Amino acid sequence: MDRRTLILGAGGAVALVAVGGVWRVTRMPQTAMAPWDLPPPPPADVRLDALRHAILAPNPHNRQPWLLRLDGSDGVMVTCDLDKRLPMTDPYDRQITVGFGTFIELAQIAASARGYRIEVTPFPAGAPEMPARLDARPVAYLRFVADPAVTRDPLLGAIQTRRTTREIFDAAPTAAQVAALSEPLPGVLRTATADATKLAAIRGVTVAATMVENTTQRTWMESVDLMRIGATEIDAQPDGLFLAGPMAEAGSAAGVLTRSALADQTSSIYKTGLDQQRALSESLPGAVWMITPANTRADHLRAGAAYMRTTLAAQALGLKMHPQSQALQEYPEMAAHYAAIQALLGAGGAARVQMLARLGTGPVVGPAPRWPLEKHLLNAKA
């Protein structure tokens, strides 16, 4: 199913539902979206300013695994909340590490507005290389350095409007847009395409991979367990995957849209969602992917930085993006599709495709929920 949008189909359609005299279908999350506002004035501490931007970074299943400890007057130690990992679909924490790369890059972009650069030390106490999982050791140490040579990053203005668009796309990127999103980035080969033949081959793999993730009970349940259904749940737990809007509120109020119904692969809710997810994967007017020369933790962080810059650049170009990560996952049921997508996209030898996304024009959507910055800080309040 689409992880954020649900249209209740045959056997599950519900109209307006009155609960306690209030039309709950009109409710939308409130506090869960507040971190996107970034109200002025900015915090005096440039670190807090950069970090309040960084928590808006895209990350797997919206887990937001970032734990942050301010160090002295210019440092931040970044560690992983180990309870936020995804052992079924991300058994080696590769995708989670990519999400730390998006976070760090967004912090650097935000710091540039204040004339600061960030000196990044990846895994200062050593990296748990695959197949070892992430552990309590820090993922990165960030040192903020005032530098008169730093100029404002041109992608800064796209941060608050960037969205992951889990919708059917309208049209393909233009040749100029494809060219702009195919320029290489540090340590990453980035490629975009709108070629119909190439896209047909990609679509064949990604649709099949999507069906594997959504029909394998243990991987599907990893998503179901992280579902937040309706505004009340989303505001109370603004992470994970969410179903919001009038139909979600109505279905929840009527007892039709529940986690138990989503978990039941014979239910009409599950089947409707599965059809939706297939349709999204088939909507592929363009694609963009990132390849690193190896598959180290440093490569994962670089891939995250590249993905962050790509999705901001796409937003600035008027394009929408939606990750298609299923075929890149390393659990046994996905092995054939993993090998197929690596070969199809040109990752030979030690090189690996780290990110793949749908690309095109599409509707404007709202932001994903976020915990406020103070929930990530271990030793200070934002």
Side-chain angles (χ1 to χ4, degrees):
M1 65 173 294
D2 178 77
R3 289 170 173 157
R4 283 178 47 193
T5 306
L6 182 69
I7 301 172
L8 303 184
V14 181
L16 298 178
V17 177
V19 179
V22 179
W23 293 105
R24 283 188 52 188
V25 296
T26 64
R27 286 211 61 230
M28 292 297 289
Q30 301 297 318
T31 58
M33 307 306 174
W36 289 88
D37 292 339
L38 299 176
D45 189 329
V46 66
R47 296 173 297 176
L48 296 179
D49 193 16
L51 295 173
R52 70 174 183 156
H53 288 79
I55 62 171
L56 306 180
N59 62 102
H61 272 45
N62 194 30
R63 294 301 280 144
Q64 305 167 52
W66 312 298
L67 295 177
L68 311 168
R69 185 177 298 277
L70 302 182
D71 181 49
S73 62
D74 62 358
V76 179
M77 191 69 78
V78 181
T79 56
C80 180
D81 183 338
L82 300 179
D83 292 334
K84 298 293 187 71
R85 296 174 298 170
L86 301 163
M88 295 297 105
T89 55
D90 188 27
Y92 307 131
D93 300 334
R94 180 191 62 82
Q95 294 181 100
I96 288 290
T97 309
V98 170
F100 276 92
T102 65
F103 175 92
I104 293 167
E105 184 65 19
L106 207 52
Q108 294 190 98
I109 292 170
S112 74
R114 301 275 291 267
Y116 280 76
R117 58 183 169 84
I118 301 178
E119 295 178 350
V120 180
T121 304
F123 294 95
E129 297 293 356
M130 293 173 61
R133 301 186 68 196
L134 296 183
D135 52 35
R137 287 176 289 178
V139 174
Y141 185 82
L142 313 181
R143 181 169 175 263
F144 287 70
V145 180
D147 186 342
V150 170
T151 59
R152 179 187 175 96
D153 194 298
L155 296 176
L156 183 69
I159 291 176
Q160 285 178 269
T161 56
R162 182 210 62 81
R163 304 287 186 263
T164 297
T165 303
R166 295 169 174 86
E167 302 285 350
I168 301 297
F169 286 164
D170 303 322
T174 66
Q177 291 169 331
V178 166
L181 296 180
S182 296
E183 296 175 357
L185 292 168
V188 176
L189 176 63
R190 178 176 61 169
T191 305
T193 188
D195 178 77
T197 301
K198 187 71 169 181
L199 291 170
I202 294 171
R203 186 181 295 111
V205 179
T206 57
V207 171
T210 296
M211 293 301 102
V212 168
E213 183 185 302
N214 287 273
T215 59
T216 301
Q217 186 68 13
R218 63 187 183 85
T219 56
W220 171 236
M221 284 305 299
E222 191 166 69
S223 291
V224 172
D225 290 342
L226 294 173
M227 290 288 180
R228 320 299 182 212
I229 302 173
T232 299
E233 284 192 9
I234 295 167
D235 279 335
Q237 189 79 18
D239 59 12
L241 313 172
F242 68 100
L243 300 174
M247 295 307 290
E249 292 289 341
S252 177
V256 174
L257 178 55
T258 65
R259 269 174 288 280
S260 60
L262 292 171
D264 179 3
Q265 295 191 9
T266 67
S267 72
S268 60
I269 289 289
Y270 170 83
K271 291 176 181 178
T272 297
L274 188 64
D275 288 343
Q276 281 191 309
Q277 187 68 8
R278 180 190 292 274
L280 287 180
S281 295
E282 290 174 344
S283 176
L284 193 69
V288 60
W289 60 93
M290 291 95 202
I291 297 177
T292 56
N295 201 25
T296 67
R297 293 299 179 193
D299 286 305
H300 303 161
L301 292 177
R302 281 190 286 267
Y307 185 80
M308 189 71 256
R309 297 196 69 81
T310 300
T311 189
L312 290 174
Q315 180 69 31
L317 290 168
L319 295 172
K320 310 300 181 185
M321 282 176 57
H322 175 204
Q324 293 287 278
S325 300
Q326 290 85 355
L328 303 179
Q329 295 166 346
E330 298 97 342
Y331 56 92
E333 294 90 339
M334 196 62 73
H337 301 310
Y338 179 91
I341 203 69
Q342 298 291 331
L344 177 60
L345 299 181
R352 290 291 184 274
V353 180
Q354 301 289 356
M355 290 297 294
L356 168 64
R358 298 192 301 130
L359 184 67
T361 62
V364 175
V365 299
R370 288 292 188 273
W371 287 106
L373 176 56
E374 56 264 28
K375 288 292 187 179
H376 299 280
L377 290 170
L378 298 176
N379 63 336
K381 295 292 185 182

